[in-house]
Amino acid sequence: MLENLRKRFTNSDGERQDFKEIFINNAIYFVIGAMILFIIISEPSFLSIRVFKNILTQSSVRLILALGVGGIIILQGTDLSLGRNVGFSAIITGSFLQSFSYGSRFYQTLPDWVWRFSETGEVLSFQWYFYILVLIVAMLTSAFFSAINGFVVAKFHVHPFLATLGGSVALYGILLLYFNTSDAGPQPIGSLDPTYSSFVSNWEFLGMEIPKLILYSIMIAVIMWFVWNKTTFGKNMYAVGGNPEAAKISGVNVLKTTVLVYVLAGLLYGVGGYLEVARVGSVNSAFGFNYELDAIAACVVGGISFSGGIGKISGAVAGVLMFTVISYGMVYLGIEAYYQYIIKGVIIVAAVALDTRKYIKKT
Amino acid sequence: MSQYLLEIKGVCKSFSGVQVLKDVDLNVRAGSIHALMGENGAGKSTLMKCLFGIYKQDKGTFFLNGEPFNFTDPKHALEHGVSMVHQELNQVLQRTVSDNIWLGRYPRKGIFVDEPKMYQDTKNLFERIGVAIDPNAKLADLSVSQRQMVEIVKAVSYNAKVIVLDEPTSSLTENEVNKLFEIMRNLRKEGLGLIYISHKMEEIFDISDEVTVLRDGDYIGTTPTKELTMDKIINMMVGRDLEHRFPHKAHTIGEPIFEVRNLSTLYEPKVHEVSFTLHKGEILGISGLVGSRRTELVEALFGARTRSAGEFFLAGEPITNRNPVEAIANGFALITEERRETGIYPVSDIKFNTTIANVQSYKGPIGLLDNARMTSDTQKQIDVMRIKTPSQKELIRALSGGNQQKVIIGRWLLTNPDILLMDEPTRGIDVGAKFEIYQLMLDLVSQGKSIIMVSSEMPELIGITDRIAVMSNGHLAGIVNTKNTNQEELFKMTTMYL
C-alpha cells in the first residue's frame, strides 16, 4: 500500500510528481466529493439512515447491471441494448407473476401446477419453484439476446457500439411483439403477486430493517469479484480486453471468451429486470429505456476504462454509489430536473476525459 | 534417432500462383543457435508460419526428433514444445507478468485459478533462466527489454525444445542485447534448439552456430558461422556482391544552416540543454541507447514536443518551430521511427500516402485538388526512389518495409524540405533496401539538403554520417567527427550521464 502510494507520488526519475498532476488525475473524485459535501452542508438532514438506505436501495439494481456491462467495457466494448434487454426480462417477469385476484392478467390461464391452493381450493400464491423458474426464464432470455450481440461482435468484428445499437432496436420490436400477445391486450402490467413483491421488501435483522435488494446486490458483487479475479474466464476476459492479439496467440479462445462475457452480462440483466419490476411495482413496454446510460456512466466514473483491460469490481461499486448519491442528492435539494441532466452529463464526459488523459503521454 | 532436433524438408508454398517457398530445408541441432537470414520477402516468416501451422505448406515435411509432425495451429505447436518469440511483442500490458506467462493455460484449483502456484512457477522459471523480474509486476511498468525477457521465459515455459526468436533485438540496447544473448546461451546449454532471425550481422557472428540463408523463397544453403564472413553472407542473401554495405560518399559540407542553443523540453522524458550546429549538405548522426531521448530530441526540433528553453537559428535568423506546421513551413521534415504507427496510412493508396503532407499545394482555383498534378508528382517519386509497386492505386500496407519507407521519404521530399529529420530510417528493412536508402540520403545532401539521422546501429552511423552527436540520458554527451571515431568511443559516450 505504502509502496503503491510512493509509486504514485514519484515518477520514473524518482522526482516527486507535482500535486497538480495528482489532483487532475483524481479530479473526478475530488469534484464528486465536493458536490456531496455541498449537498450535506445545504441540507444536513441528508446525513440520515433513511437517506442512506434509499441510496443503497437505488444503487442495488444499477450495480447489478453495471457489473454486467462492466465486463463488456473491459473487452473494449459497450452495450446499448442493456435497457431494452432489462425491459424484456422485466416484462417476462411481470407477465407471469401477476396476482391471481387481478382481472386483466397478461396470462388469463396458467396451468394448475404453478399455483399453490388452500384446502378449500382457493389460489394462495404461486408454487415456490415457479418464482425461481420465472427468474431462470428471464435470465436465459436476456442471456440469449446478449449472446447474439457477443457473437456478432466476436465473429463478424462488428463494433460493439453498432452491434448493440442494432440489437437494441431489433430487441424492442421483439419485446413489443411479446407485449402485444397479452390476453388483456397491450396495457401496463401491474398488480403483481404479493409474495413476489415481498422479495424486495425489508429484512428484519436485530431490530434493523435492511432492504433485501441491498443484500442481493452485495451477494452478486461478491460472486462477480471471484469470477473476475479468480477464474480462468475472468483472467481471459482481462487479457482479451487488454490485447486480443496476445490472447489469441497464447491459445485463448477469443470468440468463446467474448460470447461468455456477453452471456454473463445478459444473465445479470435478467436478474436486474426481475428485481426491478418488483421494486417499481409495474412494467410497461418502455420499461428499462436508457438504463444503459446510468450503468455505463457509473462504470466509467468508477474507472472501468473504455480503452479495455482495466477495471475493478470495487470501481463499479464506487461508481454506482457516487452516481446515485449525486442523483439522489440533487433531487433531495430540489434542483430542477433540467439542471440534473446537465450536471450528470458533464460528470460523465469529465470522467471519460480524465480517464483518457491518464493514457495520453504528454509531449 | 536423428542427429537433428528439428528438420524441415522440402517445404513449398505458393500464394495465388506466386511461389514464395521453393524446396526449403532447415535443420536445427539440439543445443545450438541457428540463424535464419534473408532479405525481407525472402520467405523467413512464411516458413515459420508453416512450421506453426498458421499456413499449410503445399509440399514438404517437418520432423521433431525424427518424428514427422504437422501442427494445425500455434497452440498445437506450443503443446509440442515449439514456441516463438514474436518480433512485435504481443502482451497484455495491463496485467501482471505471471498472468501473461500463463495466459491461455492458467493452473486451476477447483473452479479458481491457482495463483500461488502460478507465482511460484514463474519465480522458478526466472531463477532457472537468470531473469530478475517480479512475477507480480504489471507489464506496463517494465521496460521493453524486460518485457522481451518475459516473452522469452514464456516461450521456455511451454517446455519448449525449439524456440524461434524473430528479431528480438530490434528495440534493445547493447547491454540488453548482451543480457538476452546470455539467456540464449544458457538455453543452448540446456539442449534447446534456437532459431534466430535477425538482420544484424554483428549479432549473427556473436551468437549463432550455423547460418541458413533464404533468397526469394529459395534455399541458398546452411554453413557453420565460423566459416562465414559478412561479405559472404551478404553475397548469399542478395545474390550479388555488395561491394560495401554503404555507398560511396562524395558530398561536400557547406556553411552552417541550423543552430540549436540550449534546448530543453518540458515533459518527461526530458531533453536537457542540447546545443549543436548543422551544416548545409551534412548528415549528422544521433547515437545513444534506447531511452537516451534521441527521438525526443528530434521531436523537439520539429515542434512536436513542448520546449522549456532553447533557441533555433535557421541560416542565422531566429525561428521558433512551435509546432509541426511551423516547422514544415520553415523547411523541416520528420520521418518517424514507428513507421506503422505514425508514418503510413495503411489502408490508403500510394498516391494518398505520397501527397498527404503536401496536399495544400494542390489546391486549385475553387479549392478543389488538382488530381493530375498529384498523380504526376506521385509517379515522379515512384521513379526517383525506385519504389517497387504495381501502381499508384496499391495500398501502402501491401508494400515491403523498405518500399513503405521510400514512399514516406518521397512524401516529405514533395514538401521540398531543407532539413530532414530521420528517426531510424532503416529499421526493419533488409540489406538491399538499406543500401538504396543510404544512396538516397547521400543524393539529398549532394543537392545541398541537410539530414539529422537517429540510429541504433553503430555501423550504419559510422558508415553514412559526417558527424555523430551522442545522447546520454537526455544530455548531449558530445559530437564527434565520424572519420576519427570508432564504436568503442561512441559506446563510452552513450553511458556518460547514466
Side-chain angles (χ1 to χ4, degrees), chain A residues 1-30:
Chain A
M1 185 67 202
L2 258 179
E3 183 58 25
N4 260 339
L5 266 181
R6 202 168 304 132
K7 239 189 248 164
R8 278 181 103 133
F9 281 78
T10 54
N11 61 22
S12 51
D13 285 358
E15 292 164 17
R16 279 174 72 84
Q17 256 179 38
D18 49 11
F19 280 95
K20 200 174 121 201
E21 274 294 293
I22 295 162
F23 179 76
I24 292 175
N25 281 338
N26 297 295
I28 195 73
Y29 299 108
F30 288 110

PDB file of all heavy atoms in Angstrom, chain A residues 1-30:
ATOM      1  N   MET A   1       0.847  -1.210   0.000  1.00  0.00           N
ATOM      2  CA  MET A   1       0.000   0.000   0.000  1.00  0.00           C
ATOM      3  C   MET A   1       0.876   1.251   0.000  1.00  0.00           C
ATOM      4  O   MET A   1       0.777   2.103  -0.869  1.00  0.00           O
ATOM      5  CB  MET A   1      -0.888  -0.032   1.246  1.00  0.00           C
ATOM      6  CG  MET A   1      -1.909   1.094   1.320  1.00  0.00           C
ATOM      7  SD  MET A   1      -3.149   0.926   0.015  1.00  0.00           S
ATOM      8  CE  MET A   1      -3.742   2.593  -0.090  1.00  0.00           C
ATOM      9  N   LEU A   2       1.809   1.283   0.978  1.00  0.00           N
ATOM     10  CA  LEU A   2       2.730   2.426   1.038  1.00  0.00           C
ATOM     11  C   LEU A   2       3.560   2.502  -0.236  1.00  0.00           C
ATOM     12  O   LEU A   2       3.752   3.562  -0.820  1.00  0.00           O
ATOM     13  CB  LEU A   2       3.677   2.254   2.240  1.00  0.00           C
ATOM     14  CG  LEU A   2       3.327   3.100   3.465  1.00  0.00           C
ATOM     15  CD1 LEU A   2       4.305   2.827   4.580  1.00  0.00           C
ATOM     16  CD2 LEU A   2       3.331   4.580   3.085  1.00  0.00           C
ATOM     17  N   GLU A   3       3.989   1.301  -0.648  1.00  0.00           N
ATOM     18  CA  GLU A   3       4.812   1.186  -1.859  1.00  0.00           C
ATOM     19  C   GLU A   3       4.062   1.787  -3.047  1.00  0.00           C
ATOM     20  O   GLU A   3       4.597   2.572  -3.817  1.00  0.00           O
ATOM     21  CB  GLU A   3       5.093  -0.301  -2.085  1.00  0.00           C
ATOM     22  CG  GLU A   3       5.990  -0.597  -3.252  1.00  0.00           C
ATOM     23  CD  GLU A   3       7.336   0.084  -3.121  1.00  0.00           C
ATOM     24  OE1 GLU A   3       7.770   0.381  -1.976  1.00  0.00           O
ATOM     25  OE2 GLU A   3       7.936   0.334  -4.152  1.00  0.00           O
ATOM     26  N   ASN A   4       2.779   1.416  -3.116  1.00  0.00           N
ATOM     27  CA  ASN A   4       1.916   1.913  -4.194  1.00  0.00           C
ATOM     28  C   ASN A   4       1.807   3.420  -4.169  1.00  0.00           C
ATOM     29  O   ASN A   4       1.898   4.077  -5.195  1.00  0.00           O
ATOM     30  CB  ASN A   4       0.507   1.327  -4.049  1.00  0.00           C
ATOM     31  CG  ASN A   4       0.330   0.165  -4.994  1.00  0.00           C
ATOM     32  OD1 ASN A   4       1.066   0.064  -5.970  1.00  0.00           O
ATOM     33  ND2 ASN A   4      -0.628  -0.691  -4.702  1.00  0.00           N
ATOM     34  N   LEU A   5       1.605   3.924  -2.962  1.00  0.00           N
ATOM     35  CA  LEU A   5       1.455   5.364  -2.807  1.00  0.00           C
ATOM     36  C   LEU A   5       2.719   6.065  -3.264  1.00  0.00           C
ATOM     37  O   LEU A   5       2.686   7.040  -3.991  1.00  0.00           O
ATOM     38  CB  LEU A   5       1.191   5.715  -1.336  1.00  0.00           C
ATOM     39  CG  LEU A   5      -0.276   5.836  -0.960  1.00  0.00           C
ATOM     40  CD1 LEU A   5      -0.400   6.202   0.501  1.00  0.00           C
ATOM     41  CD2 LEU A   5      -0.941   6.903  -1.830  1.00  0.00           C
ATOM     42  N   ARG A   6       3.854   5.485  -2.832  1.00  0.00           N
ATOM     43  CA  ARG A   6       5.119   6.110  -3.190  1.00  0.00           C
ATOM     44  C   ARG A   6       5.255   6.126  -4.707  1.00  0.00           C
ATOM     45  O   ARG A   6       5.679   7.091  -5.296  1.00  0.00           O
ATOM     46  CB  ARG A   6       6.271   5.345  -2.538  1.00  0.00           C
ATOM     47  CG  ARG A   6       7.517   6.206  -2.407  1.00  0.00           C
ATOM     48  CD  ARG A   6       8.566   5.553  -1.508  1.00  0.00           C
ATOM     49  NE  ARG A   6       8.089   5.217  -0.199  1.00  0.00           N
ATOM     50  CZ  ARG A   6       8.280   4.030   0.365  1.00  0.00           C
ATOM     51  NH1 ARG A   6       8.901   3.065  -0.291  1.00  0.00           N
ATOM     52  NH2 ARG A   6       7.827   3.795   1.575  1.00  0.00           N
ATOM     53  N   LYS A   7       4.865   5.012  -5.330  1.00  0.00           N
ATOM     54  CA  LYS A   7       4.949   4.934  -6.784  1.00  0.00           C
ATOM     55  C   LYS A   7       4.107   6.019  -7.433  1.00  0.00           C
ATOM     56  O   LYS A   7       4.458   6.601  -8.437  1.00  0.00           O
ATOM     57  CB  LYS A   7       4.463   3.559  -7.250  1.00  0.00           C
ATOM     58  CG  LYS A   7       5.541   2.803  -8.040  1.00  0.00           C
ATOM     59  CD  LYS A   7       4.948   1.559  -8.657  1.00  0.00           C
ATOM     60  CE  LYS A   7       5.508   0.306  -8.036  1.00  0.00           C
ATOM     61  NZ  LYS A   7       4.714  -0.873  -8.338  1.00  0.00           N
ATOM     62  N   ARG A   8       2.955   6.242  -6.826  1.00  0.00           N
ATOM     63  CA  ARG A   8       2.058   7.246  -7.398  1.00  0.00           C
ATOM     64  C   ARG A   8       2.644   8.635  -7.303  1.00  0.00           C
ATOM     65  O   ARG A   8       2.390   9.475  -8.130  1.00  0.00           O
ATOM     66  CB  ARG A   8       0.732   7.248  -6.650  1.00  0.00           C
ATOM     67  CG  ARG A   8      -0.210   6.184  -7.104  1.00  0.00           C
ATOM     68  CD  ARG A   8      -1.453   6.328  -6.300  1.00  0.00           C
ATOM     69  NE  ARG A   8      -2.494   6.955  -7.089  1.00  0.00           N
ATOM     70  CZ  ARG A   8      -3.724   6.463  -7.131  1.00  0.00           C
ATOM     71  NH1 ARG A   8      -4.017   5.392  -6.473  1.00  0.00           N
ATOM     72  NH2 ARG A   8      -4.652   7.075  -7.831  1.00  0.00           N
ATOM     73  N   PHE A   9       3.406   8.857  -6.225  1.00  0.00           N
ATOM     74  CA  PHE A   9       3.868  10.212  -5.995  1.00  0.00           C
ATOM     75  C   PHE A   9       5.226  10.496  -6.632  1.00  0.00           C
ATOM     76  O   PHE A   9       5.671  11.617  -6.640  1.00  0.00           O
ATOM     77  CB  PHE A   9       3.949  10.497  -4.487  1.00  0.00           C
ATOM     78  CG  PHE A   9       2.602  10.806  -3.905  1.00  0.00           C
ATOM     79  CD1 PHE A   9       1.727   9.781  -3.635  1.00  0.00           C
ATOM     80  CD2 PHE A   9       2.203  12.106  -3.683  1.00  0.00           C
ATOM     81  CE1 PHE A   9       0.469  10.046  -3.128  1.00  0.00           C
ATOM     82  CE2 PHE A   9       0.945  12.379  -3.166  1.00  0.00           C
ATOM     83  CZ  PHE A   9       0.076  11.343  -2.885  1.00  0.00           C
ATOM     84  N   THR A  10       5.877   9.466  -7.130  1.00  0.00           N
ATOM     85  CA  THR A  10       7.160   9.713  -7.783  1.00  0.00           C
ATOM     86  C   THR A  10       7.085   9.186  -9.201  1.00  0.00           C
ATOM     87  O   THR A  10       6.350   8.262  -9.486  1.00  0.00           O
ATOM     88  CB  THR A  10       8.306   8.986  -7.044  1.00  0.00           C
ATOM     89  OG1 THR A  10       7.938   7.615  -6.938  1.00  0.00           O
ATOM     90  CG2 THR A  10       8.536   9.557  -5.670  1.00  0.00           C
ATOM     91  N   ASN A  11       7.845   9.781 -10.081  1.00  0.00           N
ATOM     92  CA  ASN A  11       7.846   9.288 -11.449  1.00  0.00           C
ATOM     93  C   ASN A  11       9.100   8.479 -11.708  1.00  0.00           C
ATOM     94  O   ASN A  11       9.864   8.177 -10.799  1.00  0.00           O
ATOM     95  CB  ASN A  11       7.713  10.456 -12.425  1.00  0.00           C
ATOM     96  CG  ASN A  11       8.861  11.414 -12.290  1.00  0.00           C
ATOM     97  OD1 ASN A  11       9.920  11.039 -11.793  1.00  0.00           O
ATOM     98  ND2 ASN A  11       8.665  12.629 -12.710  1.00  0.00           N
ATOM     99  N   SER A  12       9.330   8.123 -12.967  1.00  0.00           N
ATOM    100  CA  SER A  12      10.410   7.199 -13.300  1.00  0.00           C
ATOM    101  C   SER A  12      11.782   7.745 -12.881  1.00  0.00           C
ATOM    102  O   SER A  12      12.696   6.985 -12.600  1.00  0.00           O
ATOM    103  CB  SER A  12      10.396   6.916 -14.790  1.00  0.00           C
ATOM    104  OG  SER A  12      10.363   8.138 -15.493  1.00  0.00           O
ATOM    105  N   ASP A  13      11.930   9.034 -12.859  1.00  0.00           N
ATOM    106  CA  ASP A  13      13.230   9.588 -12.490  1.00  0.00           C
ATOM    107  C   ASP A  13      13.368   9.739 -10.979  1.00  0.00           C
ATOM    108  O   ASP A  13      14.350  10.264 -10.485  1.00  0.00           O
ATOM    109  CB  ASP A  13      13.440  10.972 -13.123  1.00  0.00           C
ATOM    110  CG  ASP A  13      13.741  10.838 -14.593  1.00  0.00           C
ATOM    111  OD1 ASP A  13      13.819   9.687 -15.064  1.00  0.00           O
ATOM    112  OD2 ASP A  13      13.884  11.868 -15.259  1.00  0.00           O
ATOM    113  N   GLY A  14      12.356   9.271 -10.237  1.00  0.00           N
ATOM    114  CA  GLY A  14      12.402   9.385  -8.799  1.00  0.00           C
ATOM    115  C   GLY A  14      12.055  10.788  -8.320  1.00  0.00           C
ATOM    116  O   GLY A  14      12.139  11.081  -7.135  1.00  0.00           O
ATOM    117  N   GLU A  15      11.665  11.682  -9.252  1.00  0.00           N
ATOM    118  CA  GLU A  15      11.270  13.014  -8.820  1.00  0.00           C
ATOM    119  C   GLU A  15       9.837  12.967  -8.310  1.00  0.00           C
ATOM    120  O   GLU A  15       9.058  12.131  -8.722  1.00  0.00           O
ATOM    121  CB  GLU A  15      11.325  13.994  -9.997  1.00  0.00           C
ATOM    122  CG  GLU A  15      12.722  14.268 -10.487  1.00  0.00           C
ATOM    123  CD  GLU A  15      12.697  14.916 -11.876  1.00  0.00           C
ATOM    124  OE1 GLU A  15      11.616  15.413 -12.256  1.00  0.00           O
ATOM    125  OE2 GLU A  15      13.730  14.895 -12.538  1.00  0.00           O
ATOM    126  N   ARG A  16       9.532  13.887  -7.442  1.00  0.00           N
ATOM    127  CA  ARG A  16       8.146  13.944  -6.972  1.00  0.00           C
ATOM    128  C   ARG A  16       7.274  14.541  -8.055  1.00  0.00           C
ATOM    129  O   ARG A  16       7.616  15.524  -8.673  1.00  0.00           O
ATOM    130  CB  ARG A  16       8.068  14.814  -5.714  1.00  0.00           C
ATOM    131  CG  ARG A  16       8.481  14.072  -4.453  1.00  0.00           C
ATOM    132  CD  ARG A  16       8.510  15.039  -3.297  1.00  0.00           C
ATOM    133  NE  ARG A  16       7.170  15.427  -2.878  1.00  0.00           N
ATOM    134  CZ  ARG A  16       6.438  14.708  -2.037  1.00  0.00           C
ATOM    135  NH1 ARG A  16       6.885  13.590  -1.562  1.00  0.00           N
ATOM    136  NH2 ARG A  16       5.254  15.130  -1.662  1.00  0.00           N
ATOM    137  N   GLN A  17       6.158  13.865  -8.295  1.00  0.00           N
ATOM    138  CA  GLN A  17       5.209  14.444  -9.240  1.00  0.00           C
ATOM    139  C   GLN A  17       4.565  15.640  -8.570  1.00  0.00           C
ATOM    140  O   GLN A  17       4.345  15.632  -7.383  1.00  0.00           O
ATOM    141  CB  GLN A  17       4.104  13.428  -9.502  1.00  0.00           C
ATOM    142  CG  GLN A  17       4.227  12.736 -10.809  1.00  0.00           C
ATOM    143  CD  GLN A  17       3.113  11.747 -10.978  1.00  0.00           C
ATOM    144  OE1 GLN A  17       1.982  12.012 -10.574  1.00  0.00           O
ATOM    145  NE2 GLN A  17       3.406  10.619 -11.544  1.00  0.00           N
ATOM    146  N   ASP A  18       4.267  16.673  -9.351  1.00  0.00           N
ATOM    147  CA  ASP A  18       3.636  17.799  -8.680  1.00  0.00           C
ATOM    148  C   ASP A  18       2.200  17.475  -8.319  1.00  0.00           C
ATOM    149  O   ASP A  18       1.561  16.607  -8.908  1.00  0.00           O
ATOM    150  CB  ASP A  18       3.748  19.100  -9.495  1.00  0.00           C
ATOM    151  CG  ASP A  18       3.342  18.877 -10.928  1.00  0.00           C
ATOM    152  OD1 ASP A  18       2.782  17.798 -11.197  1.00  0.00           O
ATOM    153  OD2 ASP A  18       3.562  19.761 -11.753  1.00  0.00           O
ATOM    154  N   PHE A  19       1.728  18.199  -7.316  1.00  0.00           N
ATOM    155  CA  PHE A  19       0.400  17.890  -6.776  1.00  0.00           C
ATOM    156  C   PHE A  19      -0.700  18.183  -7.772  1.00  0.00           C
ATOM    157  O   PHE A  19      -1.772  17.599  -7.720  1.00  0.00           O
ATOM    158  CB  PHE A  19       0.189  18.642  -5.463  1.00  0.00           C
ATOM    159  CG  PHE A  19       0.868  17.958  -4.314  1.00  0.00           C
ATOM    160  CD1 PHE A  19       2.129  18.340  -3.906  1.00  0.00           C
ATOM    161  CD2 PHE A  19       0.245  16.892  -3.676  1.00  0.00           C
ATOM    162  CE1 PHE A  19       2.766  17.688  -2.879  1.00  0.00           C
ATOM    163  CE2 PHE A  19       0.876  16.237  -2.639  1.00  0.00           C
ATOM    164  CZ  PHE A  19       2.146  16.628  -2.231  1.00  0.00           C
ATOM    165  N   LYS A  20      -0.400  19.084  -8.695  1.00  0.00           N
ATOM    166  CA  LYS A  20      -1.378  19.411  -9.727  1.00  0.00           C
ATOM    167  C   LYS A  20      -1.739  18.142 -10.510  1.00  0.00           C
ATOM    168  O   LYS A  20      -2.911  17.858 -10.756  1.00  0.00           O
ATOM    169  CB  LYS A  20      -0.774  20.463 -10.665  1.00  0.00           C
ATOM    170  CG  LYS A  20      -1.814  21.218 -11.458  1.00  0.00           C
ATOM    171  CD  LYS A  20      -1.142  22.340 -12.251  1.00  0.00           C
ATOM    172  CE  LYS A  20      -1.411  22.160 -13.720  1.00  0.00           C
ATOM    173  NZ  LYS A  20      -0.455  22.856 -14.578  1.00  0.00           N
ATOM    174  N   GLU A  21      -0.689  17.372 -10.866  1.00  0.00           N
ATOM    175  CA  GLU A  21      -0.893  16.133 -11.614  1.00  0.00           C
ATOM    176  C   GLU A  21      -1.810  15.189 -10.846  1.00  0.00           C
ATOM    177  O   GLU A  21      -2.769  14.648 -11.369  1.00  0.00           O
ATOM    178  CB  GLU A  21       0.445  15.434 -11.836  1.00  0.00           C
ATOM    179  CG  GLU A  21       1.189  15.915 -13.043  1.00  0.00           C
ATOM    180  CD  GLU A  21       0.456  15.570 -14.336  1.00  0.00           C
ATOM    181  OE1 GLU A  21       0.354  14.373 -14.643  1.00  0.00           O
ATOM    182  OE2 GLU A  21      -0.014  16.502 -15.008  1.00  0.00           O
ATOM    183  N   ILE A  22      -1.467  15.004  -9.568  1.00  0.00           N
ATOM    184  CA  ILE A  22      -2.231  14.075  -8.736  1.00  0.00           C
ATOM    185  C   ILE A  22      -3.670  14.552  -8.650  1.00  0.00           C
ATOM    186  O   ILE A  22      -4.615  13.774  -8.753  1.00  0.00           O
ATOM    187  CB  ILE A  22      -1.613  13.986  -7.330  1.00  0.00           C
ATOM    188  CG1 ILE A  22      -0.223  13.381  -7.435  1.00  0.00           C
ATOM    189  CG2 ILE A  22      -2.488  13.154  -6.396  1.00  0.00           C
ATOM    190  CD1 ILE A  22       0.622  13.647  -6.226  1.00  0.00           C
ATOM    191  N   PHE A  23      -3.815  15.866  -8.485  1.00  0.00           N
ATOM    192  CA  PHE A  23      -5.162  16.406  -8.374  1.00  0.00           C
ATOM    193  C   PHE A  23      -5.943  16.171  -9.660  1.00  0.00           C
ATOM    194  O   PHE A  23      -7.075  15.683  -9.620  1.00  0.00           O
ATOM    195  CB  PHE A  23      -5.109  17.906  -8.059  1.00  0.00           C
ATOM    196  CG  PHE A  23      -6.469  18.517  -7.953  1.00  0.00           C
ATOM    197  CD1 PHE A  23      -7.253  18.303  -6.823  1.00  0.00           C
ATOM    198  CD2 PHE A  23      -6.993  19.275  -8.992  1.00  0.00           C
ATOM    199  CE1 PHE A  23      -8.520  18.834  -6.730  1.00  0.00           C
ATOM    200  CE2 PHE A  23      -8.260  19.812  -8.905  1.00  0.00           C
ATOM    201  CZ  PHE A  23      -9.023  19.596  -7.764  1.00  0.00           C
ATOM    202  N   ILE A  24      -5.322  16.444 -10.794  1.00  0.00           N
ATOM    203  CA  ILE A  24      -6.055  16.307 -12.052  1.00  0.00           C
ATOM    204  C   ILE A  24      -6.396  14.846 -12.319  1.00  0.00           C
ATOM    205  O   ILE A  24      -7.498  14.513 -12.745  1.00  0.00           O
ATOM    206  CB  ILE A  24      -5.248  16.903 -13.215  1.00  0.00           C
ATOM    207  CG1 ILE A  24      -5.172  18.422 -13.042  1.00  0.00           C
ATOM    208  CG2 ILE A  24      -5.887  16.581 -14.558  1.00  0.00           C
ATOM    209  CD1 ILE A  24      -4.313  19.113 -14.053  1.00  0.00           C
ATOM    210  N   ASN A  25      -5.443  13.944 -12.031  1.00  0.00           N
ATOM    211  CA  ASN A  25      -5.701  12.534 -12.293  1.00  0.00           C
ATOM    212  C   ASN A  25      -6.829  11.969 -11.441  1.00  0.00           C
ATOM    213  O   ASN A  25      -7.482  11.008 -11.819  1.00  0.00           O
ATOM    214  CB  ASN A  25      -4.420  11.714 -12.082  1.00  0.00           C
ATOM    215  CG  ASN A  25      -3.500  11.831 -13.281  1.00  0.00           C
ATOM    216  OD1 ASN A  25      -3.947  12.150 -14.385  1.00  0.00           O
ATOM    217  ND2 ASN A  25      -2.227  11.605 -13.061  1.00  0.00           N
ATOM    218  N   ASN A  26      -7.031  12.546 -10.266  1.00  0.00           N
ATOM    219  CA  ASN A  26      -8.120  12.054  -9.416  1.00  0.00           C
ATOM    220  C   ASN A  26      -9.235  13.084  -9.287  1.00  0.00           C
ATOM    221  O   ASN A  26     -10.056  13.009  -8.376  1.00  0.00           O
ATOM    222  CB  ASN A  26      -7.574  11.695  -8.035  1.00  0.00           C
ATOM    223  CG  ASN A  26      -6.560  10.577  -8.115  1.00  0.00           C
ATOM    224  OD1 ASN A  26      -6.901   9.458  -8.478  1.00  0.00           O
ATOM    225  ND2 ASN A  26      -5.313  10.882  -7.828  1.00  0.00           N
ATOM    226  N   ALA A  27      -9.250  14.028 -10.219  1.00  0.00           N
ATOM    227  CA  ALA A  27     -10.141  15.171 -10.076  1.00  0.00           C
ATOM    228  C   ALA A  27     -11.608  14.771  -9.935  1.00  0.00           C
ATOM    229  O   ALA A  27     -12.346  15.384  -9.173  1.00  0.00           O
ATOM    230  CB  ALA A  27      -9.983  16.103 -11.267  1.00  0.00           C
ATOM    231  N   ILE A  28     -11.998  13.695 -10.633  1.00  0.00           N
ATOM    232  CA  ILE A  28     -13.407  13.331 -10.629  1.00  0.00           C
ATOM    233  C   ILE A  28     -13.854  13.001  -9.199  1.00  0.00           C
ATOM    234  O   ILE A  28     -14.964  13.321  -8.789  1.00  0.00           O
ATOM    235  CB  ILE A  28     -13.670  12.165 -11.612  1.00  0.00           C
ATOM    236  CG1 ILE A  28     -15.160  12.034 -11.893  1.00  0.00           C
ATOM    237  CG2 ILE A  28     -13.100  10.864 -11.127  1.00  0.00           C
ATOM    238  CD1 ILE A  28     -15.705  13.117 -12.778  1.00  0.00           C
ATOM    239  N   TYR A  29     -12.931  12.388  -8.434  1.00  0.00           N
ATOM    240  CA  TYR A  29     -13.296  12.054  -7.060  1.00  0.00           C
ATOM    241  C   TYR A  29     -13.368  13.302  -6.185  1.00  0.00           C
ATOM    242  O   TYR A  29     -14.235  13.426  -5.333  1.00  0.00           O
ATOM    243  CB  TYR A  29     -12.298  11.053  -6.481  1.00  0.00           C
ATOM    244  CG  TYR A  29     -12.287   9.768  -7.261  1.00  0.00           C
ATOM    245  CD1 TYR A  29     -11.224   9.440  -8.085  1.00  0.00           C
ATOM    246  CD2 TYR A  29     -13.385   8.898  -7.222  1.00  0.00           C
ATOM    247  CE1 TYR A  29     -11.236   8.275  -8.844  1.00  0.00           C
ATOM    248  CE2 TYR A  29     -13.403   7.743  -7.961  1.00  0.00           C
ATOM    249  CZ  TYR A  29     -12.325   7.439  -8.771  1.00  0.00           C
ATOM    250  OH  TYR A  29     -12.345   6.295  -9.518  1.00  0.00           O
ATOM    251  N   PHE A  30     -12.443  14.239  -6.436  1.00  0.00           N
ATOM    252  CA  PHE A  30     -12.488  15.492  -5.694  1.00  0.00           C
ATOM    253  C   PHE A  30     -13.783  16.247  -6.000  1.00  0.00           C
ATOM    254  O   PHE A  30     -14.442  16.761  -5.099  1.00  0.00           O
ATOM    255  CB  PHE A  30     -11.283  16.379  -6.055  1.00  0.00           C
ATOM    256  CG  PHE A  30      -9.991  15.866  -5.482  1.00  0.00           C
ATOM    257  CD1 PHE A  30      -9.019  15.334  -6.301  1.00  0.00           C
ATOM    258  CD2 PHE A  30      -9.757  15.918  -4.111  1.00  0.00           C
ATOM    259  CE1 PHE A  30      -7.830  14.851  -5.772  1.00  0.00           C
ATOM    260  CE2 PHE A  30      -8.569  15.444  -3.572  1.00  0.00           C
ATOM    261  CZ  PHE A  30      -7.603  14.903  -4.409  1.00  0.00           C
TER     262      PHE A  30
END
